[in-house]
């Protein structure tokens, strides 16, 4: 019997049995090898993350080929650990969710090839998950909200405001025109001589500095726009440090960090407020690595109270890349019976709004 | 019960199913630039054509490179998952074996060459000895001049044995891309594939090499199994060199 038919049969049998939906998530889009088991889309039974950060630190950033090699070596052990911690076997799985983009293509391919091998061997339904959707769904794991939602996506590769009218539906309201917010953090951190990854260090330093020490620019673009631009801010910070050094003046790390962070956070918060006012959607979730930023969490929380809208952040351990969020994002696809076939590919630049376009197995529910 | 062999390390995408001494079926394409998309459907179709189910397999033979880094990981990773899922043994064998064994019936020295750019090839040496096709030099990444040197060095030994002709069969894209130079430097010793059907990696050949290993219990652990790249990542090599230099610079 072919794979498609085995998937249909298993899905129909599992649905009819009324047993809980147990999804194995797999995430290898960058430098974390992660596997997680989630029950009924919300409950984390395990979430194992094998970070390569110590390996890539020596290179000053992620080396894609090194990341891919480590994923191959790690993936079996990480999945086995996730299953053991969750107390489930492969036969208990309802489906497998795997990140297939965006990310480093060689790294993504490891997760995708592994998931396809497993799902083919056992006849398990497979759901390719868009990584940013995963970050948004991290909010559903920590008692988050239901759509309609606005999502502020902020990471090393993304800065976007997304409207999510229903599960699995996404529309961009604004996005960065140049650097991502996290990218600006990393570049400023590097110029300050801070160790990789610099974002969290800048955040920590910013707590001790004066946010008004340097009047760094805020890019509003225009009164209406929900787009972002951070390259001008990044250049201003770099120039300030450079000019001070030219004049033989000292610059205080903490003040630079605090002033830079104040500029980034103010723009992120105000553009989010614009989106709330424009759409009338009153619930906001924050997603991506920068969702862990203390300055952003505090400022957005405060502004949301003033404006009277709800805001939700993932728990700190779910802000960075992890497979629990991938399994969580796979859950509504499972409910809808949308599964991918064995020709699923890794897509380095997969857009959130293109996720739904990847063909799924034609489904005949008996 | 049959074994499944896979190789995705080169432009050849090859899948074979068989037992010891019996090839049930094989599928190979050579135009695919997208092994990631094509591999598992090809496995599914071949098994379906043979009326087999994945649970009827008894082990995996995987081409573990050398070759394309991204390519080799496709089959290796899929096999790691399948071996784990079905609790079956897995053994990795050289992708070069899959190319070299086109020359298994030849009396010549057999030299598979997978082009690795900059006049380099992944290569190894093979020869028939008492009816067995034997690997006499392990996989290496060599520049063309060193490959020619290794061939000539082996020829010195072969000249002592009257049954071994002073001939070398050069296979693969590395041989084809440097055919003129190899012909010029090796003269009438050099032989090339007489058909494009002898110039690609076949999974059926991997079964020949891997099944005896699997049956002898000489298997890899699927958890730790990884490709054989033969090269460090450039960033790693530079880092190691810098570490070494720093160590030597330290006062003892």
């Amino acid at each position: 019997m072919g794979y498609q038919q085995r998937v249909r049969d298993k899905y129909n049998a599992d649905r009819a049995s009324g047993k809980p939906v147990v999804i194995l998530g797999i995430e290898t889009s960058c430098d974390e090898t992660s596997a997680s088991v989630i029950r009924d889309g919300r409950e984390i039974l395990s979430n194992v993350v094998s970070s390569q950060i110590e390996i890539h630190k020596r290179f000053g950033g992620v080396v894609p080929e090194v990341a891919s090699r480590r994923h191959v070596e790690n993936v079996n052990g990480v999945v086995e650990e996730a299953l053991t911690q969750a107390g489930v076997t492969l036969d208990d799985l309802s489906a497998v969710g795997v990140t297939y983009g965006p990310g480093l293509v060689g790294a993504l391919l490891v997760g995708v090839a592994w998931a396809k091998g497993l799902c083919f061997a056992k006849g398990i339904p497979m759901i390719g998950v868009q990584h940013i959707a995963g970050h948004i769904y991290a909010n559903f794991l920590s008692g988050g909200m239901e759509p309609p939602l606005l999502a502020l996506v902020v990471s090393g590769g993304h800065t976007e405001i997304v409207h999510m009218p229903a599960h699995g539906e996404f529309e961009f309201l604004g996005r960065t025109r140049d650097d991502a917010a996290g990218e600006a953090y990393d570049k400023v951190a590097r110029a300050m001589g801070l160790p990789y990854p610099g974002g969290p260090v800048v955040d920590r330093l910013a707590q001790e500095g004066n946010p008004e020490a340097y009047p760094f620019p805020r890019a509003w673009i225009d009164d209406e726009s929900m787009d972002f631009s951070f390259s001008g801010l990044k250049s201003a910070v770099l120039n300030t440090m450079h000019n001070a050094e030219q004049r033989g003046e000292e610059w205080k790390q903490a003040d630079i960090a605090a002033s830079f962070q104040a500029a980034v956070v103010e723009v992120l918060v105000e553009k989010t407020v614009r989106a709330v006012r424009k759409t009338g959607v009153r619930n906001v979730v924050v997603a991506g690595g920068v969702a862990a930023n203390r300055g952003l969490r505090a400022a957005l929380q405060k502004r949301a109270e003033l404006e009277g809208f709800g805001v939700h952040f993932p728990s700190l351990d779910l802000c960075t890349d992890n497979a629990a969020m991938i399994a969580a994002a796979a859950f509504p696809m499972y409910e809808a019976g949308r599964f991918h076939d064995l020709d699923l590919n890794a897509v380095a630049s997969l857009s959130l709004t293109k996720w739904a376009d990847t063909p799924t197995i034609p489904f005949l529910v008996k | 019960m049959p074994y499944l062999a896979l190789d995705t390390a080169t432009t050849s995408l090859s899948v074979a199913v068989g037992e010891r001494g019996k090839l049930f079926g094989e599928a190979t394409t050579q135009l695919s630039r997208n092994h990631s998309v094509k591999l598992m459907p090809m496995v599914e179709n071949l098994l379906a054509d043979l009326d087999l189910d994945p649970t009827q397999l008894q082990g995996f033979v995987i081409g573990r490179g050398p070759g394309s880094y991204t390519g080799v990981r496709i089959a290796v990773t899929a096999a790691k998952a399948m071996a784990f899922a079905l609790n079956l043994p897995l053994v990795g064998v050289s992708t070069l074996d899959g190319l070299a064994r086109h020359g298994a019936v030849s009396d010549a020295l057999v030299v598979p060459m997978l082009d690795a750019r900059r006049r380099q090839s992944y290569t190894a040496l093979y020869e028939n000895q008492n009816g067995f096709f034997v690997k006499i030099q392990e996989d290496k990444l060599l520049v063309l001049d060193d490959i020619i040197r290794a061939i000539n060095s082996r020829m010195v030994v072969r000249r002592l044995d009257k049954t071994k002709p002073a001939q070398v069969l050069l296979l693969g894209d590395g041989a084809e891309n440097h055919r003129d130079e190899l012909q010029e430097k090796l003269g009438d010793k050099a032989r090339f594939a007489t058909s494009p059907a002898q110039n690609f990696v076949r999974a059926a050949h991997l079964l020949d090499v891997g099944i005896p290993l699997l049956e002898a219990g000489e298997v890899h652990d699927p958890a730790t199994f990884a490709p054989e790249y033969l090269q460090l990542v450039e960033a790693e090599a530079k880092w190691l060199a810098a570490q070494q230099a720093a160590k030597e610079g330290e006062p003892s």
Side-chain angles (χ1 to χ4, degrees), chain A residues 114-190:
Chain A
W114 205 93
K116 288 198 285 188
L118 170 66
C119 291
F120 170 70
K122 300 291 280 185
I124 301 173
M126 178 179 68
I127 300 149
V129 174
Q130 204 273 0
H131 180 80
I132 299 305
H135 277 297
I136 293 172
Y137 273 88
N139 286 283
F140 293 77
L141 286 168
S142 28
M145 308 150 162
E146 285 295 317
L149 294 172
L150 292 177
L152 172 65
V153 179
V154 257
S155 71
H158 296 265
T159 307
E160 284 138 12
I161 297 177
V162 178
H163 178 217
M164 183 177 167
H167 282 292
E169 291 177 27
F170 308 96
E171 173 200 2
F172 287 119
L173 301 179
R175 59 211 305 183
T176 184
R177 296 183 176 184
D178 40 60
D179 291 351
E183 194 179 354
Y185 266 93
D186 286 340
K187 285 175 179 171
V188 164
R190 191 187 291 238

Side-chain angles (χ1 to χ4, degrees), chain A residues 3 65 69 72 116 345, chain B residues 36 44 73 80-81 84 231:
Chain A
Y3 175 67
E65 175 62 20
R69 291 185 180 194
V72 175
K116 288 198 285 188
N345 200 9
Chain B
S36 162
E44 187 195 16
R73 278 193 286 269
K80 280 169 68 95
F84 167 67
Q231 292 190 83

Side-chain angles (χ1 to χ4, degrees), chain A residues 2-3 6 58-59 65 68-70 72-73 76 80 90 109-110 113-114 116-118 120-122 342-343 345, chain B residues 34 36-37 40-41 44 47 54 69-70 73 77-78 80-82 84-86 222-223 229 231 233 235-236 239:
Chain A
Y3 175 67
R6 287 192 289 148
R58 68 184 67 144
F59 309 123
E65 175 62 20
S68 302
R69 291 185 180 194
R70 296 297 95 80
V72 175
E73 293 158 13
N76 282 49
E80 284 184 59
L90 292 177
L109 278 170
V110 175
W114 205 93
K116 288 198 285 188
L118 170 66
F120 170 70
K122 300 291 280 185
L342 297 173
D343 59 357
N345 200 9
Chain B
N34 224 335
S36 162
V37 173
M40 292 313 295
E44 187 195 16
L47 289 180
Y69 298 165
T70 301
R73 278 193 286 269
T77 307
K80 280 169 68 95
M82 289 192 283
F84 167 67
L86 299 168
Y229 303 99
Q231 292 190 83
V233 181
E236 285 180 312
W239 183 80

